[in-house]
Amino acid sequence: MNRSVLKNFAVQARNSLIEAAAICAAGYGVTEGGETLPGMKLSAWQQRLRSQLIAFIGEKGFSAAMEEAAYTWFIRCIALRYMEVNGFLPNGMKVFSGAGEISFRLISDLCRDLSKSLPWIFSDEHKEWTQLLFPESQLQRGGALRRMVEDIPEGEWIENVQLLGWLYQYYNSEKKDRVFYDIKRNIKISNDNIAAATQIFTPEWIVRYMVENTLGRLWLSCDRECTLIPEWKYYIRGDEAFPSIKIERPEDIRFIDPCMGSGHILVYAFDVLMQIYRSCGRSASEAAASIIENNLYGLDIDKRVHALSCFAVMMKARHHDPDFLKRGMIPNFEHFQELPESSDNIDKPFVSLAQQFRHADVYGSLISSAEVEWDESKVCYETPVYQRLCRLYRILSLKYDVICTNPPYMGGSGMNTELSAFMKRNFADYSSDLFSAFTVRCTQLAKKGGYLGFLTPYVWMFIQSYEKMRRYIYSHTTIESLIQFEYSAFDEVTVPVCAFTLKNVHEERNGVYFRLTEFRGGMEIQRLKFVEAISGRSCPYRFEANSKSFSRIPGSPAAYWVSEAVYRAYACYPPLGTIAAPRKGNSTSDNDRFLRLWHEVDINEVNLNCSEINREETLIRRWFPYNKGGGYRKWYGFNDHLIDWYDDAAEIRKIKTAVIANYRYFMKPGLTWSTLTSGKFSIRCFGKGYIFDNGGCCIFELGEKRDYICALLNSNVFAYIFGQLNPTLNFQSGEVAKFPVILRENSRIDELAEECVSISKEDYDSFETSWDFRRHPLV
């Protein structure tokens, strides 16, 4: 189905439901501006719920109350619609597709009945007041929720519980957009918004790839006679490694998604487990109960997606067993919200346990469950919060045969102080992003020899700040398979991603890699190319490599496609950083204040062609040429910006977050390039008199090698090798410094490079955007 239809429905439903909730609240004399008693007489029931609503507003605020009510009825209605279409409602009841009007009593009675077997969605515990804000107007013809029937075809709901996950993600899309807008304005993500900022729905075929090549591979390694491979479309055939874990029965398998979101991965794991059970001769109803009780585990920081995951797997079980909802089973899933923040009012045996989970709604599954001195057998924990503490402790204390997850993506710039300190304290070597810490944490949760599957940004494969993570993966695990996607294929996120599977023990053997970087057109094109590649080993974008070889290149990038000739070049020739000086420059932290285009400044205040910075001179001529990157242009150009260096940058130096780097290279001639581009690497010559930016890194101390190095870095050879090893389009000075240089004296190369620079300069100066412009060549 077209995702835009789902998104439009979910976004409009959210806005309409919030508005409807506010109208209902006003009808009971509760408004954002304050309370006013309504003109009507309220029943005791209404008075009680009104008091609850006012108390909630007092604690959380009016907007939060309206949002809570809107979401409560949104999720209940889409859950009821799913159950209605699939025939799961009592007596085959019709709610949305029936002939009559939808009433509060009908919905309320259904929710009460279903709350016994599906409390996560339908229970009124702690929010009975939402009944006052029932959006009856939105359930009638023309209402937002009535559009479920009109906009989403009935066939989309049939055995497709993942649809609820998509709707939930789109329901939160505007909130998520606001969070990312704030990040761009250097506003840290608050604890309440971490879930919205980091939840990303995983495409179905990638889920299948991860589960089939972890859970499926584990079972096939233990049951050589199993014939399930034809049912697993994304399974990578090969020689099955000798099992490190011996599984005798399906119920012995433990599978967890520690960042489960709405349960998409767990739902497909249920399907694969059902296939395994059935292949062993078990009945569908027996298998469904065992999967919920023994096999599946899940964690998340968000109680809302926890509820969705519970609902999803219960619906899966209900598809296989008509009586399943009567069995009173509870999935092994938990969330980290609404846990006690202090030891006050906690029974003594639980104090040490509760202390482990302080700020758990921020750290989530990154928390390690340490040993605590308490005897569960001697403690009565009827209270729900105690039951939850024990269940969290148990889930985090177990070791798992299979872990599959799409961990949260959040760089250090988005982390608040609390989360950043936790990362540095517990995952210092892997704190560049949340996903890297989660990857390492999952290896700790898995059994030795277990299997892991991930969907993450692929920066970890190449960027210098992830080198320790790479080395950890190479030394502690075996890369079984990896899919590197085209840069912009995954439109749900703004970063390039990869999917990969690991065996949680190091073995000296090859992994299988799929390089889909050249195939544009979105995830469906990527899927088709992957299916094509797994059908045979002769595919040109399928590779086999041992991660041990990756260390032959400085920084150990996961260069699985690199030829032996490239490895030899890195081994036999000196890196650029030993024969020249690639350097990064300044970060003003306020470019709008300190930078200008050259034509915006009085020319009498500009210093051009200086050999050194004289502080007294900067009091008169305060503006200097500034290299700060630009787009793709070879040889010469992008000399557009000036920087305010008044009093030797006294104002810049006052800013705590500003950085003035490599001052001794200011004013010296060299080569410059753009560290962030939307295309290929390109390098340009510049003369004396420049200060430079971190976005316009430079190379100095070139001497007579300037033209040769300029030609090399603008060559197709460099573009191929360096571009392939750096597909993130982030060309930092440290990465350029590693490139091997084969120096050969060749005057012809120098002459051609000089000629290219001259032609490029003449072209650049022929336009008024250059400060060396004299007249247009056509005049």
Side-chain angles (χ1 to χ4, degrees), residues 531-766:
V531 171
E532 179 183 311
I534 61 177
S535 63
R537 296 188 175 185
S538 61
C539 181
Y541 50 89
R542 172 177 172 151
F543 302 85
E544 294 189 11
N546 189 321
S547 60
K548 182 179 179 179
S549 63
F550 299 158
S551 60
R552 297 170 64 187
I553 296 177
S556 301
Y560 54 86
W561 67 91
V562 166
S563 67
E564 186 60 32
V566 173
Y567 280 126
R568 283 199 303 271
Y570 274 95
C572 299
Y573 297 98
L576 177 61
T578 64
I579 60 178
R583 295 290 185 269
K584 65 180 181 179
N586 298 329
S587 176
T588 69
S589 285
D590 194 349
N591 282 351
D592 290 340
R593 177 182 175 188
F594 296 107
L595 300 189
R596 294 290 182 272
L597 294 171
W598 68 267
H599 51 77
E600 297 176 315
V601 175
D602 183 346
I603 195 66
N604 295 311
E605 295 185 6
V606 179
N607 262 301
L608 295 176
N609 300 314
C610 287
S611 298
E612 62 180 11
I613 295 177
N614 182 294
R615 180 177 173 276
E616 296 300 323
E617 179 68 15
T618 64
L619 300 176
I620 302 170
R621 295 178 178 268
R622 63 196 296 172
W623 296 94
F624 287 80
Y626 195 59
N627 279 320
K628 71 174 304 291
Y632 176 80
R633 183 180 176 89
K634 292 182 177 182
W635 309 111
Y636 184 89
F638 291 140
N639 306 321
D640 304 324
H641 287 85
L642 304 174
I643 187 169
D644 184 359
W645 211 255
Y646 183 76
D647 196 14
D648 198 24
E651 290 300 311
I652 296 176
R653 296 176 193 273
K654 290 179 182 178
I655 301 175
K656 291 182 179 180
T657 55
V659 176
I660 295 178
N662 290 301
Y663 188 93
R664 71 189 184 95
Y665 289 104
F666 292 177
M667 305 295 108
K668 293 185 177 182
L671 303 173
T672 185
W673 75 90
S674 307
T675 56
L676 290 173
T677 78
S678 58
K680 297 179 179 179
F681 181 94
S682 60
I683 199 160
R684 299 171 290 280
C685 289
F686 64 93
K688 65 181 181 179
Y690 283 79
I691 297 170
F692 60 103
D693 187 269
N694 195 27
C697 289
C698 298
I699 305 177
F700 301 98
E701 298 179 5
L702 291 157
E704 296 180 354
K705 301 184 292 294
R706 189 195 73 164
D707 293 329
Y708 186 93
I709 298 298
C710 186
L712 171 64
L713 300 189
N714 274 328
S715 69
N716 288 336
V717 172
F718 180 84
Y720 174 77
I721 298 176
F722 185 71
Q724 297 296 306
L725 290 174
N726 237 338
T728 60
L729 306 183
N730 190 331
F731 305 128
Q732 296 296 327
S733 59
E735 303 303 314
V736 175
K738 298 172 185 175
F739 191 80
V741 178
I742 304 174
L743 284 172
R744 297 283 190 270
E745 291 189 11
N746 190 320
S747 60
R748 183 57 177 157
I749 292 177
D750 294 344
E751 291 170 5
L752 289 172
E754 289 182 8
E755 184 179 349
C756 287
V757 171
S758 177
I759 293 171
S760 184
K761 185 178 188 307
E762 183 179 349
D763 171 71
Y764 189 75
D765 292 342
S766 66

Side-chain angles (χ1 to χ4, degrees), residues 38-68:
M40 68 180 75
K41 185 178 180 180
L42 299 182
S43 68
W45 174 80
Q46 291 170 326
Q47 286 280 14
R48 180 170 59 84
L49 267 57
R50 182 178 185 273
S51 297
Q52 292 178 9
L53 170 59
I54 292 170
F56 187 93
I57 292 173
E59 181 182 357
K60 302 288 187 179
F62 184 84
S63 295
M66 299 306 104
E67 159 63 24
E68 181 67 23

Side-chain angles (χ1 to χ4, degrees), residues 452-469:
L452 305 103
F454 299 95
L455 175 68
T456 74
Y458 68 50
V459 289
W460 71 266
M461 300 170 63
F462 308 104
I463 297 298
Q464 184 175 3
S465 56
Y466 294 91
E467 182 176 347
K468 289 183 178 179
M469 176 186 172

Side-chain angles (χ1 to χ4, degrees), residues 260-264 266 304-314 333:
M260 64 184 174
S262 56
H264 195 180
L266 292 163
R304 289 183 173 180
V305 295
H306 164 260
L308 279 174
S309 291
C310 290
F311 180 80
V313 298
M314 295 293 276
F333 300 167

Side-chain angles (χ1 to χ4, degrees), residues 24 36 101 130 139 148 253 293 314 368 421 481 495 506 521 531 627 641 654 656 661 677 752:
C24 290
T36 58
E101 293 295 316
T130 58
L139 286 159
M148 284 189 299
I253 299 171
E293 181 180 3
M314 295 293 276
S368 296
S481 65
V495 295
H506 181 69
V531 171
N627 279 320
H641 287 85
K654 290 179 182 178
K656 291 182 179 180
T677 78
L752 289 172

Side-chain angles (χ1 to χ4, degrees), residues 3 6 10 71 74-83 86 121-122 148 152 156-157 160-171 201 262-263 304-305 307-309 311-312 315:
R3 302 293 182 207
L6 296 180
Y71 176 77
F74 174 79
I75 204 66
R76 286 178 177 177
C77 287
I78 62 175
L80 287 172
R81 177 59 174 163
Y82 179 85
M83 297 183 74
N86 288 279
I121 299 290
F122 298 110
M148 284 189 299
I152 306 175
E156 294 292 329
W157 298 92
N160 182 22
V161 74
Q162 296 95 323
L163 181 62
L164 274 66
W166 281 110
L167 290 172
Y168 174 76
Q169 178 168 306
Y170 292 139
Y171 184 92
F201 206 77
S262 56
R304 289 183 173 180
V305 295
L308 279 174
S309 291
F311 180 80
M315 290 300 99

